[in-house]
Amino acid sequence: MTNSRKYSGRGPLAREAEIAGWLFVSPMVLGFTLLLLFPMGLALYMSLTDWPLLGDHHFIGLNNYREIMVDKMFWKVLGNTVYFTAGLVPLNIVLALLLALLLSKSLRGIGIFRTAIFVPVMTSLIVWAIVWKLMYATESGLINQLLLMIGIKGPAWLYNQDLAMPAVDCDQCAKKCWPKYGTIHSRNSAGTQITVRSGQTGWCR
């Protein structure tokens, strides 16, 4: 109660606390303004102008937006972006949660699997990129070799119009998100174990 009275007024302590608060948040506010707000504002202004790489620019209003609305390539790129995001984001969330639930079991040898999940956190993304490129290879790739063992001729994953986007989704999930699964799993696993012990999710047992 005494502390709240000290800081509720406009005395020296309140002013010092306010100054200290602004000092603490100022790096974040400065970085947010210079690295996010300013570039976004500049990009918005540039989109309303005819701004060549060299030379003067002039304001043209919404003409640029009118042009892209009738550009077939724009809609194709937008569709690919939605397709990619709709496949990648749910896949990451579901896989990370399933891994946390599965690895929260008290089974013999579960520590080995937990270590295997966390190893990619310390592995270079370049290594993952090379591995997945080799796995998708048409003739000698691991995926097609496994399919060939059961009598299925694998396709050219990255050159097939229907399979390229799902393949890239899986590839990006592995290269960019799988290395983060160790960290995500650690958080999810801790949460699921606490929840299970509290008896709120008996279905996880």
Side-chain angles (χ1 to χ4, degrees), residues 53-100:
L53 182 62
L54 299 175
D56 297 331
H57 63 278
H58 58 278
F59 185 80
I60 59 173
L62 299 176
N63 286 350
N64 289 329
Y65 293 97
R66 294 191 186 98
E67 289 183 11
I68 64 172
M69 288 296 109
V70 296
D71 189 345
K72 294 182 179 180
M73 183 59 67
F74 166 76
W75 292 107
K76 183 177 182 180
V77 171
L78 181 62
N80 288 339
T81 302
V82 173
Y83 189 129
F84 176 79
T85 305
L88 184 63
V89 175
L91 183 63
N92 289 328
I93 296 174
V94 171
L95 285 179
L97 183 58
L98 287 177
L99 284 173

Side-chain angles (χ1 to χ4, degrees), residues 82-100 132 136 164-181 184-185 188:
V82 173
Y83 189 129
F84 176 79
T85 305
L88 184 63
V89 175
L91 183 63
N92 289 328
I93 296 174
V94 171
L95 285 179
L97 183 58
L98 287 177
L99 284 173
W132 275 87
Y136 277 135
M165 187 61 73
V168 170
D169 265 340
C170 294
D171 174 58
Q172 293 300 312
C173 180
K175 287 194 299 187
K176 293 185 177 180
C177 303
W178 183 263
K180 301 176 184 177
Y181 278 165
I184 297 173
H185 159 69
N188 288 352

Side-chain angles (χ1 to χ4, degrees), residues 66-186:
R66 294 191 186 98
E67 289 183 11
I68 64 172
M69 288 296 109
V70 296
D71 189 345
K72 294 182 179 180
M73 183 59 67
F74 166 76
W75 292 107
K76 183 177 182 180
V77 171
L78 181 62
N80 288 339
T81 302
V82 173
Y83 189 129
F84 176 79
T85 305
L88 184 63
V89 175
L91 183 63
N92 289 328
I93 296 174
V94 171
L95 285 179
L97 183 58
L98 287 177
L99 284 173
L101 291 174
L102 291 174
L103 297 180
S104 62
K105 306 289 185 180
S106 297
L107 303 175
R108 176 180 292 182
I110 196 68
I112 298 175
F113 293 98
R114 290 173 180 168
T115 303
I117 291 297
F118 199 79
V119 164
V121 176
M122 302 172 286
T123 306
S124 170
L125 289 178
I126 298 176
V127 175
W128 279 93
I130 295 173
V131 168
W132 275 87
K133 183 178 180 180
L134 295 175
M135 289 176 64
Y136 277 135
T138 304
E139 300 296 333
S140 59
L142 176 61
I143 297 175
N144 283 352
Q145 289 296 318
L146 292 176
L147 292 175
L148 193 61
M149 292 174 62
I150 58 176
I152 300 176
K153 181 175 175 57
W157 294 96
L158 299 178
Y159 301 96
N160 186 296
Q161 186 175 358
D162 297 324
L163 298 175
M165 187 61 73
V168 170
D169 265 340
C170 294
D171 174 58
Q172 293 300 312
C173 180
K175 287 194 299 187
K176 293 185 177 180
C177 303
W178 183 263
K180 301 176 184 177
Y181 278 165
T183 306
I184 297 173
H185 159 69
S186 299

Side-chain angles (χ1 to χ4, degrees), residues 182-196:
T183 306
I184 297 173
H185 159 69
S186 299
R187 294 196 298 261
N188 288 352
S189 181
T192 54
Q193 289 180 15
I194 292 173
T195 305
V196 170

